[in-house]
Amino acid sequence: MKQRTPEGDALTALVLPVFELNGEFLAAAHDITEPTGLTPAWWQVLGATLDEPLSVADIARRVGLGLARQSVQRTANLLVDKGWAVYVDNPHHKRSKLLEPTPKGRETVASLRDAQYAWSDAVGTSVGESELRSFAATLAKILEASRNFRTGSA
């Protein structure tokens, strides 16, 4: 039976804590969004459109968290139903509308800013800037190496 390398063991030891961290981030996002009526997923999809209107497929690709296009479509439809976003014509594709935030959607996302800043400032101060920047750089290297392995370009 093949044994993992020490590097493989070290990476494997990160997997569960990273999943736990993801859960903690989602819980914090829920706490931040709950007063507005948004969910973390709605915030994520709406936030992707703040700079420019995007198609549902573009949002699914941009968000980059493995969200299926169908899931983003359901979320986009809910955002439209609740008045946080609208569909507008796409000059590049007749059948693929673009999702754009309404003034209400922009105001709602802006209202999250203070709570998000308070959370990130408190957690960031507790951990420390240099440690967080180092961790972010390490995460970027892990993501790149994993993507290269999966696509065969490793």
Side-chain angles (χ1 to χ4, degrees):
M1 177 195 274
K2 184 173 186 242
Q3 297 289 324
R4 270 194 312 254
T5 64
E7 294 84 358
D9 284 342
L11 179 64
T12 300
L14 283 176
V15 171
L16 287 178
V18 167
F19 285 154
E20 187 176 354
L21 180 61
N22 180 61
E24 180 55 34
F25 283 169
L26 290 172
H30 178 268
D31 292 346
I32 291 167
T33 59
E34 188 174 37
T36 67
L38 285 175
T39 68
W42 298 357
W43 182 19
Q44 189 176 27
V45 170
L46 189 59
T49 66
L50 292 176
D51 292 335
E52 63 178 322
L54 295 171
S55 70
V56 166
D58 287 338
I59 294 168
R61 279 190 293 273
R62 183 169 290 188
V63 170
L65 296 177
L67 294 178
R69 186 201 168 289
Q70 294 83 357
S71 174
V72 174
Q73 184 68 64
R74 284 190 299 273
T75 299
N77 290 343
L78 284 167
L79 291 169
V80 169
D81 289 346
K82 298 201 177 272
W84 282 311
V86 293
Y87 288 114
V88 297
D89 288 335
N90 184 343
H92 305 293
H93 195 289
K94 284 188 178 199
R95 290 186 358 202
S96 177
K97 298 279 189 184
L98 301 176
L99 187 71
E100 178 177 69
T102 61
K104 174 185 172 185
R106 288 184 184 283
E107 289 168 17
T108 302
V109 170
S111 75
L112 300 173
R113 202 164 287 132
D114 287 345
Q116 193 278 333
Y117 285 7
W119 171 81
S120 63
D121 287 350
V123 174
T125 298
S126 179
V127 176
E129 180 185 3
S130 65
E131 203 166 328
L132 288 167
R133 293 198 186 280
S134 176
F135 184 60
T138 301
L139 283 176
K141 287 179 184 176
I142 294 168
L143 284 168
E144 181 180 6
S146 180
R147 288 177 180 142
N148 288 342
F149 178 84
R150 289 187 311 103
T151 62
S153 54

